[in-house]
């Protein structure tokens, strides 16, 4: 009797404990516990996911308060299927999610064979202005419209550009791994967040999601199309956000960045919040600079930054991957005048970890006869403005071994010459007696475009010429040796300048004057004006690499 009593007693206590634990379980914990084992196995931290859904008129009338009470924090809501099928439930769902306190985002099933801009504008018209706390709009890419991958990619780009221009936010891309891999085949959209469809119930590969190129991680994961959710009749798509609720909120419109939260927010830069954003700085151009096309952009950044995107007034115009030291890109602007330039840095996981911004003024192309040898002008195209300058050695098209000797023939008015390989300055000479000779060893071999810009006694650019050469390995490894640079000494011998504080191809007289003190005299550098910063850069560049993408 006694043993039976204690057995019943312990059973009762166990049932009470189970009932108590169930009663205190949070909605988020219940949602996590309901996940299939396969989904749980792909989640490294149960406290760093957020549950959500996506819906259309197929889900009928939704009780959004019940959806919220069950623990779902976000919802993507369909606006239309292309241009011809407007979702009749969108207005009701859009307002209902907001009223229930659910973070909402609008999506559109994209039809590539229809006008992309018209589809994007339709979404904007039906959605209305983004409100604070809304997620960026989503383009649902899972249909080809019988177009080729290249054509699909082009149409996707048009839709994204229109949304980004109108709203000033980056849209989200929804797609499946296999669809994007086989039917889009583009690596051009890696800076946009990925909402990945990867279902747990029929994948025949390793279960955890695989992202298509160019993405290395998913932000949202649609893990089933047959979920059940309180307040919704029938099946519904269920999703997971990879991060905390606070991190999800940071993706929403008009989120107020808080400096000091260890997150480099959309409006934060290294300039205004160095505690959250890693170091980034423009080497060229400088803030407020006036210059002509093409514009060379060069950035130094923290070693944890592996990619930099460049934006002009919100438009992405260039991307640079991790070089040895500098990130560089060159761009010709169609729209001239004042431009706001933003550079965003990303780490190896694709997270925005740094940013820096400047304002520049892009000047009109020069006109022949205006007395300025600028832009793409040279002696052949405008002998009224540019003097004749030609390469003595090497010759155009020559195949030559490292190290390479450069000489140019110029009129007497030329007092100095700056040499550039592709878009990177590598040497300067002011020795007329040697035909402005410099010797340089390239780290990057193969085809190189060499430009020689000539300057007069006032450091005004008065001529330019270029050749193409093919650089091979040196024949004698001891023929050229770059010595170590000692920042504590006053002179640097036998070294060609590589990526010091030199100016772009469109240098003005003021720009060149800043560099007049580091012109080389055949094989040495004048010692009378070398700054600590220049010496430091020459130490970094003493390998001849130029610390750039090419060099």
């Amino acid at each position: 009797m006694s043993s039976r009593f204690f057995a019943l007693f312990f059973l009762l206590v166990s049932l009470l404990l189970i009932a108590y634990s169930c009663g205190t379980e949070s909605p988020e914990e219940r949602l996590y516990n309901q996940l299939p084992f396969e989904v749980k196995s792909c989640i490294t931290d149960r406290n760093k996911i957020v549950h959500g859904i996506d819906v259309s008129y197929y889900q009928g009338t939704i009780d959004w308060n019940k959806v919220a009470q069950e623990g779902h924090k976000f919802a993507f809501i369909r606006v239309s299927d292309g241009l011809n099928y407007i979702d009749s439930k969108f207005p009701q769902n859009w307002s209902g999610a907001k009223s229930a306190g659910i973070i909402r985002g609008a999506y559109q099933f994209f039809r590539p064979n229809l006008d992309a801009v018209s589809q994007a504008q339709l979404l904007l018209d039906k959605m209305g202005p983004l409100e604070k706390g809304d997620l960026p709009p989503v383009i649902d890419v899972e249909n080809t419209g019988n177009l080729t991958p290249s054509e699909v990619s082009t149409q996707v780009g048009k839709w994204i550009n229109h949304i980004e221009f109108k709203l000033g936010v980056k849209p989200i891309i929804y797609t499946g791994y296999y669809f994007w891999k086989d039917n889009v085949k583009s690596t051009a959209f890696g800076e946009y967040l990925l909402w990945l469809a990867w279902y747990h119930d029929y994948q025949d590969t390793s279960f955890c999601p695989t992202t298509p190129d160019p993405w290395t991680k998913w932000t949202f994961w649609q893990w089933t199309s047959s979920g059940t959710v309180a307040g919704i009749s029938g099946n519904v798509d269920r999703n997971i956000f990879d991060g905390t609720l606070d991190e999800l909120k940071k993706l929403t419109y008009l989120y107020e960045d808080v400096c000091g939260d260890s997150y480099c927010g959309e409006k934060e830069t290294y300039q205004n919040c160095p505690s959250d954003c890693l170091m980034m700085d423009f080497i060229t151009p400088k803030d407020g600079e006036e210059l002509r096309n093409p514009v060379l952009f060069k950035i130094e950044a923290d070693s944890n930054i592996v990619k930099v995107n460049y934006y002009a007034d919100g438009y992405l115009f260039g991307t640079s991957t991790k070089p040895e030291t500098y990130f560089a890109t060159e761009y010709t602007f169609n729209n001239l005048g004042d431009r706001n330039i933003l550079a965003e840095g990303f780490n190896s996981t694709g997270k925005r970890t740094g940013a820096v911004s400047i304002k520049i003024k892009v000047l009109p192309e020069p006109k022949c006869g205006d007395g300025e040898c600028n832009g793409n002008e040279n002696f052949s195209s405008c002998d009224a403005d540019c003097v004749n300058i030609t390469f003595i050695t090497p010759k155009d098209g020559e195949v030559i071994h490292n190290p390479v000797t450069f000489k140019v023939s110029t009129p007497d008015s030329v007092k100095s010459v700056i040499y550039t390989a592709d878009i990177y300055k590598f040497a300067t000479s002011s020795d007329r007696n040697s035909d402005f000779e410099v010797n340089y060893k390239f780290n990057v071999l193969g085809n190189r475009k060499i430009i020689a810009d000539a300057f007069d006694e006032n450091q005004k650019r008065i001529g330019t010429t270029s050749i193409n050469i093919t650089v091979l390995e040196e024949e004698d490894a001891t023929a050229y040796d770059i010595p170590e640079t000692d920042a504590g000494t006053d002179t640097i011998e036998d070294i060609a300048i590589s990526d010091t504080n030199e100016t772009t191809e469109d240098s003005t007289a003021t720009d060149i004057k800043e560099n007049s003190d580091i012109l080389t005299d055949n094989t040495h550098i004048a010692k009378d004006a070398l700054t600590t910063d220049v010496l430091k850069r020459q130490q970094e560049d003493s390998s001849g690499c130029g610390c750039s993408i090419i060099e």
Side-chain angles (χ1 to χ4, degrees), residues 290-295 332-338 361-368 370 372 374-377 506:
E290 297 182 358
L291 62 172
R292 288 185 170 86
N293 280 320
V295 181
T332 299
F333 290 92
N334 291 324
N335 296 324
L336 308 179
D338 295 329
K361 186 172 185 178
V362 184
L363 303 176
E365 287 295 317
K367 296 181 179 179
C368 187
D370 63 2
E372 302 287 338
N374 284 318
N376 295 319
E377 290 182 337
D506 304 283

Side-chain angles (χ1 to χ4, degrees), residues 431-450:
D431 189 355
R432 285 196 51 79
N433 295 329
S434 69
D435 296 316
F436 301 99
E437 177 180 346
V438 298
N439 298 288
Y440 188 72
K441 178 182 177 181
F442 292 91
N443 278 356
V444 177
L445 308 179
N447 297 326
R448 308 304 303 271
K449 180 180 180 180
I450 307 300

Side-chain angles (χ1 to χ4, degrees), residues 352-383:
R352 184 186 192 270
T353 52
V356 62
S357 63
I358 58 172
K359 292 183 178 180
I360 63 171
K361 186 172 185 178
V362 184
L363 303 176
E365 287 295 317
K367 296 181 179 179
C368 187
D370 63 2
E372 302 287 338
C373 185
N374 284 318
N376 295 319
E377 290 182 337
N378 55 39
F379 181 75
S380 298
S381 64
C382 186
D383 58 7

Side-chain angles (χ1 to χ4, degrees), residues 128-146:
L130 277 181
E131 296 182 12
K132 184 176 181 179
D134 290 342
L135 287 166
V138 179
I139 179 171
D140 179 346
V141 185
E142 52 178 313
N143 178 270
T144 66
N146 294 319

Side-chain angles (χ1 to χ4, degrees), residues 219-234:
T219 301
F220 297 93
W221 172 19
Q222 186 186 77
W223 58 270
T224 185
S225 60
S226 55
T228 56
V229 173
I232 300 177
S233 300

Side-chain angles (χ1 to χ4, degrees), residues 216-452:
T216 58
K217 67 184 291 290
W218 52 268
T219 301
F220 297 93
W221 172 19
Q222 186 186 77
W223 58 270
T224 185
S225 60
S226 55
T228 56
V229 173
I232 300 177
S233 300
N235 292 336
V236 61
D237 298 337
R238 289 187 58 182
N239 301 271
I240 291 172
F241 168 72
D242 183 22
T244 65
L245 182 58
D246 284 341
E247 289 171 331
L248 176 63
K249 291 178 179 178
K250 289 175 182 178
L251 303 180
T252 60
Y253 185 61
L254 294 181
Y255 174 81
E256 296 179 2
D257 296 319
V258 178
C259 188
D261 63 359
S262 301
Y263 180 84
C264 188
E266 183 178 347
K267 296 182 180 179
E268 291 178 334
T269 66
Y270 178 69
Q271 298 143 300
N272 63 30
C273 188
S275 63
D276 291 348
C277 300
L278 297 178
M279 187 281 293
M280 292 182 67
D281 192 22
F282 277 94
I283 297 173
T284 185
K286 296 299 184 183
D287 188 38
E289 188 172 348
E290 297 182 358
L291 62 172
R292 288 185 170 86
N293 280 320
V295 181
L296 172 64
F297 296 91
K298 189 184 294 185
I299 281 180
E300 59 180 346
D302 185 277
S303 60
N304 290 303
I305 292 175
V306 299
K307 186 182 82 169
V308 171
N309 286 344
Y310 297 84
Y311 301 88
D313 299 306
Y315 288 97
L316 176 70
F317 67 84
T319 296
S320 177
T321 53
K322 178 64 177 169
E324 293 184 33
T325 299
Y326 303 138
F327 295 87
T329 192
E330 188 176 61
Y331 188 69
T332 299
F333 290 92
N334 291 324
N335 296 324
L336 308 179
D338 295 329
R339 306 305 303 268
N340 297 302
I341 307 299
L342 171 68
E344 293 183 327
F346 300 86
N347 64 14
S348 58
T349 67
K351 180 180 178 181
R352 184 186 192 270
T353 52
V356 62
S357 63
I358 58 172
K359 292 183 178 180
I360 63 171
K361 186 172 185 178
V362 184
L363 303 176
E365 287 295 317
K367 296 181 179 179
C368 187
D370 63 2
E372 302 287 338
C373 185
N374 284 318
N376 295 319
E377 290 182 337
N378 55 39
F379 181 75
S380 298
S381 64
C382 186
D383 58 7
D385 293 341
C386 303
V387 301
N388 190 19
I389 171 173
T390 59
F391 274 94
I392 299 172
T393 185
K395 298 298 184 181
D396 188 38
E398 186 172 348
V399 178
I400 190 167
H401 290 273
N402 258 331
V404 182
T405 298
F406 296 94
K407 291 184 180 182
V408 290
S409 173
T410 69
D412 291 342
S413 56
V414 175
K415 302 304 179 184
S416 62
V417 173
I418 293 179
Y419 294 93
T420 303
D422 301 301
I423 62 173
Y424 301 98
K425 306 293 188 290
F426 68 86
T428 309
S429 175
S430 58
D431 189 355
R432 285 196 51 79
N433 295 329
S434 69
D435 296 316
F436 301 99
E437 177 180 346
V438 298
N439 298 288
Y440 188 72
K441 178 182 177 181
F442 292 91
N443 278 356
V444 177
L445 308 179
N447 297 326
R448 308 304 303 271
K449 180 180 180 180
I450 307 300
I451 301 169

Side-chain angles (χ1 to χ4, degrees), residues 32-45:
Y32 177 82
N33 291 331
Q34 293 169 8
L35 292 175
F37 170 78
E38 297 90 345
V39 176
K40 291 180 181 177
S41 67
C42 302
I43 299 171
T44 56
D45 188 343

